[in-house]
Amino acid sequence: MYETSINERKLSEEALERQIVYIEKCKEKVREISEELGRPLKCCTQTFGCQMNARDSEKLLGILEQIGYLPTEDEKEADIVLYNTCTVRENANLRVYGRLGHLNTMKKKNPHMIIALCGCMMQEPDVVEKIRTSYKFVDIVFGTFNIFKLAELLYSRWNSNGQVIDIWEETKEIVEDLPTQRKYPFKSGVNIMFGCNNFCSYCIVPYVRGREKSREPKYIIREIERLVADGVKEVMLLGQNVNSYGKNLESPVSFAELLKEVEQIEGLERIRFMTPHPKDLSDDLIAVMRDSKKICNHMHLPVQSGSSRLLKLMNRRYTKEHYLELVEKIRHEIPDVSLTTDIIVGFPGETEEDFEDTLDVVRKAKFDSAYTFIYSKRTGTPAASMDDQVPEDVVKNRFDRLLETVHETAHAISNRYEGKILPVLVEDIDDHDSSMVTARMTNNILVHFPGGKELIGTVVDVYMDECKGFYYMGHRA
Ligand code: SAH
Ligand code: SF4
Ligand code: F3S
């Protein structure tokens, strides 16, 4: 159990002070190299995986920019390339190995280039061993628990000859107040907790992200207030299981209570959260959502499977019936809500009957969309040693049928906003037509309408003219 004692808080402050010293030392070094090369140094960060990693990358980029690197999207012109990796499915790992080969070629042309790897994949001992022995050109390797140490690790690399590898198995510390560089000026993710205690039998996240740790509400509120003062209109509260937030704090606070506090922050217009777990979804939370003016009209509620038998083997701790009851309750209280989900196909032992149950849930729950995944065996998880792994061709066939069903049900409800006027947050100029902008409704669906860049980051009312499947065309009301 994690409790923030006075000592730990002090430790976290000391850790931050130490890093500030290293940031200064690195700044000096970057200035030197830059003078030698006669040009500014550039950094390129690539993020794989979920919002958690995306937020970590903003912190990493914040440190690199403080040190004096200019951001670039082009790896070829970067002096430091940092991959923040994901290992939730095997193909995430394969993508990283594939790209490392290209980086090696680039590094041969630019010997100053530093290659750094961090994130979830690096928490797996066999991955680190492989990098140590077969990818010697990688300069720095660190994990998910010590991203705040980037400046120190970089400085060590400049002062040593070999790879710098620093992996922690767990941490009790949450280092607050690191510099961050947001991707969007008007919206931001905010970690409310780290790690996961659920141990779903297929999932590697608890092993690479450690035990669940909630941040103190006052730090969360302070971070959001600062973000709002800096122009942020929308926050997404992040955690692997947000509705178990706060249970282990010195003075426990529920997720519903936290949401009520966040709602009070003046100037904040929209609140999203990711991800709630069906087993912990309380009536309180549904009521807070229903009564809130700021919480978005969208709930992402991963079901994973529609078969109660498989859900038990997955260690999800709810049944098909319980999930469908929840959906009904949510739709009853918040009639216009948009529901989305995650589904895994091909979990060990999945029978045709189990799969039919999944299709049944998709039809009954009427999801606006679903992220569908083919089960991927992760070494060390209980499911990896289960008998009866489903043959590839059977999985592929089910996966296609699932996609088809998701599309059918989503399509049947997708035009329900046609003819309505809805508030939208303008995110960008339209990729295909510069006289248009792209905006997001509270239910997470995109709409394109005529407008200019002065609208970016503002909330405006838009008339939904026409549904084009997964997005709308509209005009300002
Ligand atoms: N904490 C979140 C999800 C984190 S991982 C939750 O519990 O819902 C995001 C999604 O990846 C999961 O919802 C699941 O659908 C999928 N996933 C996780 N492990 C997987 C595996 N071994 N194979 C295939 N998909 C997986
Ligand atoms: Fe993985 Fe389950 Fe934790 Fe989500 S709740 S991160 S699926 S173990
Ligand atoms: Fe991937 Fe780690 Fe997120 S494994 S899904 S980046 S928590």
Side-chain angles (χ1 to χ4, degrees):
M1 185 163 110
Y2 178 70
E3 281 173 6
T4 326
S5 67
I6 302 294
N7 278 342
E8 278 170 17
R9 223 169 286 152
K10 194 148 175 290
L11 200 67
S12 151
E13 278 165 26
E14 277 169 15
L16 179 67
E17 276 164 27
R18 184 183 163 94
Q19 292 315 307
I20 291 171
V21 172
Y22 275 105
I23 286 176
E24 284 309 312
K25 288 183 176 181
C26 286
K27 246 187 206 169
E28 193 57 39
K29 181 78 183 171
V30 162
R31 214 174 292 138
E32 262 173 43
I33 304 177
S34 174
E35 266 169 29
E36 196 185 305
L37 297 175
R39 60 169 176 83
L41 297 194
K42 295 192 176 173
C43 63
C44 178
T45 56
Q46 303 280 359
T47 311
F48 302 81
C50 65
Q51 272 93 349
M52 224 54 86
N53 258 18
R55 184 63 182 151
D56 283 350
S57 290
E58 292 186 343
K59 294 176 186 166
L60 292 161
L61 187 58
I63 296 173
L64 290 174
E65 288 197 20
Q66 283 259 312
I67 290 174
Y69 285 98
L70 298 177
T72 171
E73 306 222 323
D74 184 359
E75 287 176 351
K76 282 199 281 307
E77 58 170 34
D79 300 283
I80 176 164
V81 176
L82 172 66
Y83 282 0
N84 190 6
T85 62
C86 169
T87 186
V88 77
R89 286 168 291 273
E90 181 66 21
N91 53 10
N93 295 40
L94 297 177
R95 275 174 64 204
V96 169
Y97 288 125
R99 292 176 64 159
L100 278 179
H102 296 292
L103 284 188
N104 192 16
T105 317
M106 287 176 212
K107 187 169 172 156
K108 282 183 185 140
K109 288 189 197 135
N110 175 12
H112 284 280
M113 186 191 248
I114 292 216
I115 299 173
L117 300 177
C118 68
C120 296
M121 208 175 139
M122 301 305 130
Q123 291 296 139
E124 293 182 274
D126 53 334
V127 170
V128 176
E129 201 40 44
K130 191 160 162 178
I131 307 271
R132 193 200 302 273
T133 50
S134 310
Y135 295 83
K136 293 205 167 76
F137 56 91
V138 173
D139 297 283
I140 302 173
V141 180
F142 55 110
T144 57
F145 301 111
N146 54 348
I147 60 162
F148 67 91
K149 277 184 75 180
L150 175 58
E152 183 174 348
L153 298 173
L154 185 57
Y155 195 73
S156 313
R157 179 64 190 92
W158 277 323
N159 291 291
S160 70
N161 291 321
Q163 281 181 329
V164 172
I165 299 181
D166 189 13
I167 308 290
W168 297 7
E169 278 184 22
E170 181 57 280
T171 183
K172 285 189 169 177
E173 271 182 77
I174 296 176
V175 180
E176 301 284 351
D177 294 336
L178 280 169
T180 55
Q181 184 58 45
R182 290 196 312 276
K183 193 166 171 198
Y184 300 94
F186 51 86
K187 67 174 184 178
S188 178
V190 173
N191 299 105
I192 61 167
M193 59 208 298
F194 300 92
C196 181
N197 284 354
N198 288 321
F199 290 95
C200 301
S201 64
Y202 50 82
C203 183
I204 199 162
V205 171
Y207 305 87
V208 295
R209 285 273 173 178
R211 294 295 62 72
E212 191 179 287
K213 291 174 279 292
S214 296
R215 281 175 81 195
E216 289 284 347
K218 67 170 184 216
Y219 289 131
I220 298 172
I221 301 293
R222 189 179 69 183
E223 179 177 348
I224 301 176
E225 283 171 349
R226 286 179 184 167
L227 287 168
V228 169
D230 196 33
V232 163
K233 300 278 168 52
E234 175 182 306
V235 290
M236 182 180 273
L237 308 180
L238 299 173
Q240 294 298 354
N241 178 2
V242 286
N243 35 11
S244 77
Y245 168 80
K247 287 189 181 142
N248 295 337
L249 285 170
E250 228 165 9
S251 349
V253 179
S254 74
F255 180 55
E257 286 164 338
L258 177 73
L259 278 173
K260 279 197 223 162
E261 268 195 64
V262 175
E263 173 107 15
Q264 302 306 317
I265 297 175
E266 220 163 293
L268 180 66
E269 297 195 28
R270 286 177 162 195
I271 305 165
R272 297 184 187 277
F273 55 86
M274 187 94 142
T275 315
H277 192 303
K279 79 176 165 67
D280 296 316
L281 197 91
S282 66
D283 292 351
D284 276 359
L285 174 59
I286 299 175
V288 169
M289 269 186 90
R290 178 198 61 205
D291 300 338
S292 163
K293 294 201 166 41
K294 297 184 180 174
I295 302 175
C296 287
N297 216 2
H298 173 215
M299 169 111 61
H300 182 69
L301 193 62
V303 65
Q304 313 299 1
S305 166
S307 152
S308 297
R309 189 185 77 86
L310 279 198
L311 285 169
K312 194 162 189 341
L313 289 173
M314 287 177 164
N315 193 29
R316 289 292 287 181
R317 285 171 277 178
Y318 54 85
T319 59
K320 173 186 181 185
E321 290 70 30
H322 179 209
Y323 187 88
L324 287 173
E325 273 165 31
L326 272 179
V327 168
E328 213 163 284
K329 216 188 287 181
I330 297 165
R331 291 212 188 275
H332 183 258
E333 297 297 323
I334 317 164
D336 204 24
V337 74
S338 158
L339 275 181
T340 56
T341 200
D342 289 350
I343 300 170
I344 298 175
V345 181
F347 183 82
E350 183 187 73
T351 61
E352 183 58 26
E353 202 183 340
D354 293 321
F355 178 66
E356 287 291 339
D357 273 331
T358 298
L359 293 182
D360 191 42
V361 169
V362 171
R363 290 191 194 105
K364 289 189 170 132
K366 301 195 174 64
F367 298 115
D368 275 77
S369 67
Y371 296 92
T372 50
F373 305 108
I374 288 181
Y375 167 74
S376 169
K377 188 170 165 174
R378 309 313 290 130
T379 311
T381 61
S385 51
M386 286 181 188
D387 299 334
D388 235 1
Q389 306 275 335
V390 185
E392 218 172 285
D393 56 329
V394 176
V395 178
K396 182 77 188 60
N397 173 279
R398 286 182 190 158
F399 186 77
D400 292 344
R401 283 156 62 203
L402 174 65
L403 267 190
E404 213 173 288
T405 310
V406 168
H407 284 159
E408 273 167 25
T409 50
H411 193 72
I413 56 164
S414 61
N415 63 355
R416 67 189 185 280
Y417 302 104
E418 260 179 23
K420 289 195 176 169
I421 294 172
L422 293 172
V424 301
L425 174 60
V426 182
E427 298 204 334
D428 220 335
I429 295 290
D430 194 319
D431 280 346
H432 303 290
D433 181 348
S434 60
S435 69
M436 311 268 285
V437 289
T438 300
R440 205 174 283 273
M441 306 184 211
T442 70
N443 57 27
N444 219 27
I445 296 173
L446 292 178
V447 56
H448 307 274
F449 64 94
K453 67 173 187 299
E454 70 288 351
L455 292 178
I456 293 175
T458 64
V459 175
V460 294
D461 282 337
V462 167
Y463 187 87
M464 300 296 148
D465 292 317
E466 195 188 352
C467 174
K468 297 271 193 186
F470 289 110
Y471 64 93
Y472 276 77
M473 301 304 289
H475 67 270
R476 275 188 81 174

